[in-house]
Amino acid sequence: MSSTLPIETILPDLKHNLAHESAVVLQAPPGAGKTTRIPLALLQEQWLRGKSILLLEPRRLAARAVADYMANQLGEPVGKTVGYRIRLENKISADTRIEVVTEGILTRRLQQDPELQGVGLVIFDEYHERNLHADTALAFCLEAQQVLREDLKLLVMSATLDAGAVSQLLDNAPLLSSAGRSFPVSVSYHPPNHERQSIAAHMSRMLQQILSEQAGDILAFLPGAKEIHQVQTQLLNDLPANVSLHPLFGDLSHQAQQAAIQPAPTGQRKIVLATPIAETSLTIEGITVVVDSGWRRSPQFDPRSGLTRLTLQRISRAAAEQRRGRAGRLAPGHCYRLWSESQQNALASHTPAEISHADLAPLALELAQWGSAATDLRWLTPPPAGALAQAQQLLQQLGALDEQQQISAAGKALLQWGTHPRLAHMLATGQNLGWGELACDLTALLSERDILIHRQERDADMHPRLQALNLFRKQGRKAALQCGADPARCARVAQLAKHWRQKLKQKRQIPPEDAAGILLACAYPDRIAARRAAQNERYLLANGRGAQLTSAPAGADYLVAAALDAGQGEAWIHLAAPLQRSSFEQYLPALLETREDIGWNKHEGAVVAEEVLALGALRLETRILTDIPTTQRLAALLDGLRQNGLEVLPWTPDSRAWQARVQSLRLWFPEQNWPDCSDQALLENLEQWLAPWLNGMSRLSHLQKLDMLSILRNLLDWSQQQAVEQLAPSHYQVPSGSRLRLEYNPGASPVLAVRIQELFGLRENPRIANGKVPLCLHLLSPARRPVQITEDLANFWANTYTEVKKELKGRYPKHDWPDDPLKATALRGVRRKKT
């Protein structure tokens, strides 16, 4: 066993801290040897006598590789001292003391045995990836440690991590740091030639360039399998004979993964095209050059729509450093970053925790089974309350939680299937109906990548996939290829389906034609969809969201959308199965409800009442109701009024003027508590001031009967109504004797539009509101054309009138324009001057 690994220098401190503390945090860069050296080094510790180590690895590929390496170090086969347990694979024996597990496996083990009997240490490796299962398992371990197992030890390890925050989470656990074993890695930046250059095209061009610039093997990071296949296609015929191309992602066969990991034969070079799976503990032999696209594909869950959308996102600076380090494991290396240096500075520091944007239905069910609320557990990043509430609502709809959010017997049964609660519910229903084998096939198809790799007509239909899977089972690889399926993916799906079929109780019934749709509806009741009238490709989902098919499955009137992309507007349906209308009542009666829908119909401009047979937002049958309860009719009418705005009411100039007068008094006399009569306030308080006047009304046209001025006056008591007339009169009598209308605009002085001659003899601007507010005078010519606006009449007479008089005298020579307007008599109407 090697003694030159950098991690060796901190092993004494690590052993000491673990012997005396309940938890330790270890930060060590790639190449330090933490993943494979530490578990072996701790086996003989006194506190671990008779106990085992659980080593949590985020990825299946890494779990296998780590177990293989440690077993080889001991000169033993995997499954003896060192073993692993991942989905569908188990190499464990009675002698196993180091068990490498993936995250879901650890959560299952904790639920079945919260004390983790026989386990002395749980190691969380690569914790910086912040997967949902890792956060959940750590929260469970911390509570188990506090309540059940004080002697249980926890070790959280990472290369790039906010170690201080993790230490604080673990009750200020000791924090150890190790140097790495790496060689210098130079970095260069190579942004795309133009914004529209695709990730695959950019990567292909750079790889061809790098082959002539660098020696050694190349590791290229791409967002996902899609881009990997694109680069393979573009490079396949353009590579030198001594260069081999190897994809590396989670769904590959074990043999294909090993081919990518193993060193190239002597005299050969290899290019490994990898997803983020190659960022961390997985060692790929021979790599001295890393080419980083800078992108990752991440699922983002929207609790408002209940949909998950795969989004292309920039990696974090921490992830970029992880990738760069892969080039310096064996010798000095180079990292080509396919973005600009300025973009590097804009990257987020760390990858967001999955718990912050994931579908939390699995977590909600795990929490219910564990028996603790999320708020009772310790999290580095707590689950968002909104997403968790949405997940609990879904689980109630599936019957997994009761009204008190406690797990039901059905919910406990769902956990035994070891898959998403939606799919587990489908499996349980399929078993009960005797369609278990079909349910297993559907679950496996939805759990893995699409087996149809070639675009086919009606490729959104689930049935061609079921047919391809069955053909693969019966006739093998060739038959799968003939129907456009990938044999390797078919094999994976068939293996997974077999895993669930082995759990079925013997009960077989011949399924109906739309059995796939019925079963999918059990998993996705919120995604049952009805076709919109005369539009084959557009549907309305039961959750109220609109959706479009990428291509229609036989133009079904009803279908179930099993795979959706949330999209920017309507969702896109990528996978669906048709469903018969008659199946709702026979197989899905619990989803149906008969309700009375009383509401505002904007097209008719009226309150409409219907008895509706509905499935969520889908209205399957309707019957018009004529007898509408008064309270509901009134509420719907007011809702319609709010939708249309107050403009639909029969306002008159007098009623609008009265509204402005009261609003002005509210500003001038705040101490007098004048009511708020603004449109906004009126709209918010329709129930108080307008509803009593709407007896028997149900349409917009009925509102035209209303007397708005009388209704508004009723907002005031008798004394206030009198005060309005006194303090904010509708008219004002000028010196000529004319009684002229005032124009009120709250926030400004009231306006009096008056001919100049009618103010002769008046020295100052008139005032209202007990002399508090001056009027703004709009001075008019004899023809009532604007001449001057003033709030200082005295200044107008003294300084401006003379010039105005000259102009008016020339335009209206037959009118009297005195030299001294203050001594002249105000004229009412038009009086000719004396000759």
Side-chain angles (χ1 to χ4, degrees), residues 342-650:
S342 61
Q343 287 174 312
Q344 169 70 17
N345 297 328
L347 296 179
S349 59
H350 290 84
T351 303
E354 184 184 5
I355 200 170
S356 65
H357 56 258
D359 177 359
L360 298 186
L363 172 62
L365 189 57
E366 295 286 359
L367 288 171
Q369 171 70 3
W370 187 255
S372 296
T375 51
D376 295 334
L377 300 175
R378 287 185 280 170
W379 308 88
L380 193 57
T381 303
L388 191 59
Q390 188 273 343
Q392 291 168 333
Q393 183 179 6
L394 170 65
L395 293 176
Q396 284 183 311
Q397 190 175 15
L398 297 178
L401 299 183
D402 61 22
E403 294 181 357
Q404 287 73 43
Q405 307 292 353
Q406 301 299 309
I407 193 167
S408 64
K412 293 178 180 179
L414 294 190
L415 281 170
Q416 303 309 310
W417 292 100
T419 188
H420 191 285
R422 288 184 183 270
L423 301 180
H425 183 60
M426 179 170 67
L427 287 166
T429 304
Q431 177 173 266
N432 293 336
L433 292 173
W435 311 339
E437 292 182 351
L438 175 60
C440 291
D441 287 353
L442 289 169
T443 302
L445 284 166
L446 294 172
S447 300
E448 297 293 323
R449 292 178 60 82
D450 191 359
I451 63 173
L452 291 188
I453 59 175
H454 303 300
R455 289 290 177 187
Q456 295 187 352
E457 199 174 341
R458 297 203 313 268
D459 68 346
D461 196 345
M462 177 64 80
H463 289 97
R465 288 148 176 92
L466 290 166
Q467 293 165 1
L469 180 60
N470 284 324
L471 277 173
F472 172 79
R473 284 195 184 107
K474 295 175 182 178
Q475 301 176 31
R477 175 185 178 85
K478 186 176 180 180
L481 287 170
Q482 287 175 346
C483 60
D486 182 317
R489 294 184 184 179
C490 286
R492 177 72 184 169
V493 170
Q495 182 188 17
L496 196 53
K498 181 180 178 181
H499 164 72
W500 281 308
R501 286 186 177 201
Q502 290 171 345
K503 296 185 177 185
L504 292 176
K505 298 175 183 177
Q506 291 301 316
K507 180 182 179 182
R508 291 186 179 181
Q509 300 289 339
I510 298 176
E513 183 180 354
D514 63 340
I518 296 168
L519 289 173
L520 289 173
C522 296
Y524 303 101
D526 50 331
R527 299 186 197 171
I528 298 172
R531 184 170 57 177
R532 297 183 189 271
Q535 298 184 45
N536 290 345
E537 77 286 355
R538 298 186 66 233
Y539 284 77
L540 175 67
L541 301 175
N543 63 12
R545 184 83 186 269
Q548 296 187 53
L549 278 162
T550 51
S551 56
D557 289 332
Y558 296 94
L559 53 77
V560 184
L564 279 167
D565 183 346
Q568 297 298 327
E570 290 190 326
W572 283 99
I573 302 173
H574 296 292
L575 203 56
L579 185 63
Q580 296 296 321
R581 166 70 179 83
S582 59
S583 297
F584 292 159
E585 292 183 2
Q586 184 175 357
Y587 296 104
L588 308 167
L591 299 180
L592 300 176
E593 64 169 333
T594 300
R595 63 173 184 252
E596 288 186 355
D597 278 359
I598 301 175
W600 182 255
N601 187 306
K602 63 180 180 181
H603 300 295
E604 296 188 17
V607 178
V608 174
E610 297 173 325
E611 183 181 76
V612 180
L613 177 64
L615 196 160
L618 306 182
R619 297 158 62 91
L620 306 178
E621 296 176 6
T622 59
R623 183 174 66 87
I624 299 297
L625 300 176
T626 56
D627 186 14
I628 308 175
T630 300
T631 302
Q632 292 168 280
R633 175 193 53 76
L634 184 58
L637 180 59
L638 294 180
D639 181 53
L641 188 53
R642 287 191 172 96
Q643 292 180 33
N644 286 277
L646 290 183
E647 292 77 13
V648 299
L649 293 172

Side-chain angles (χ1 to χ4, degrees), residues 2-36:
S2 171
S3 60
T4 60
L5 292 170
I7 203 73
E8 298 285 346
T9 60
I10 67 152
L11 283 178
D13 286 342
L14 178 62
K15 291 178 179 179
H16 173 79
N17 279 292
L18 282 174
H20 296 89
E21 303 285 347
S22 61
V24 175
V25 179
L26 172 61
Q27 190 167 24
K34 63 182 182 301
T35 302
T36 54

Side-chain angles (χ1 to χ4, degrees), residues 664 668 743-752 773-778 791:
S664 296
W668 299 337
E743 181 182 334
Y744 288 82
N745 185 11
S749 297
V751 172
L752 174 64
V773 180
L775 300 181
C776 177
L777 298 175
H778 285 208
E791 293 191 21

Side-chain angles (χ1 to χ4, degrees), residues 111-226:
Q111 291 284 24
Q112 294 164 5
D113 176 18
E115 294 185 41
L116 290 180
Q117 293 183 9
V119 176
L121 171 66
V122 181
I123 302 176
F124 291 80
D125 195 20
E126 308 298 355
Y127 186 68
H128 67 273
E129 292 197 15
R130 300 300 311 283
N131 292 313
L132 177 59
H133 278 299
D135 277 348
T136 304
L138 182 57
F140 287 178
C141 281
L142 286 171
E143 186 167 69
Q145 191 182 56
Q146 181 179 10
V147 177
L148 303 171
R149 284 283 310 279
E150 292 183 358
D151 63 322
L152 181 66
K153 309 285 186 178
L154 303 178
L155 174 58
V156 179
M157 306 195 303
S158 175
T160 54
L161 179 68
D162 184 357
V166 179
S167 171
Q168 187 175 3
L169 177 70
L170 304 182
D171 293 326
N172 297 314
L175 173 56
L176 302 179
S177 295
S178 168
R181 185 179 68 176
S182 62
F183 293 88
V185 177
S186 57
V187 176
S188 58
Y189 294 88
H190 306 268
N193 292 333
H194 52 81
E195 290 183 359
R196 294 186 178 180
Q197 187 176 30
S198 70
I199 295 172
H202 190 195
M203 178 64 76
S204 299
R205 180 179 64 82
M206 287 303 304
L207 288 172
Q208 290 173 321
Q209 174 185 327
I210 293 166
L211 282 172
S212 62
E213 293 179 352
Q214 301 283 348
D217 294 340
I218 302 171
L219 173 59
F221 284 99
L222 289 154
K226 173 185 173 183

Side-chain angles (χ1 to χ4, degrees), residues 69 75 85-86 177 212 280 324 336 389 493 498 531 607 609 660 674:
Y69 183 85
R85 193 191 304 267
I86 62 177
S177 295
S212 62
T280 53
R324 181 193 67 82
Y336 292 79
V493 170
K498 181 180 178 181
R531 184 170 57 177
V607 178
W674 290 93

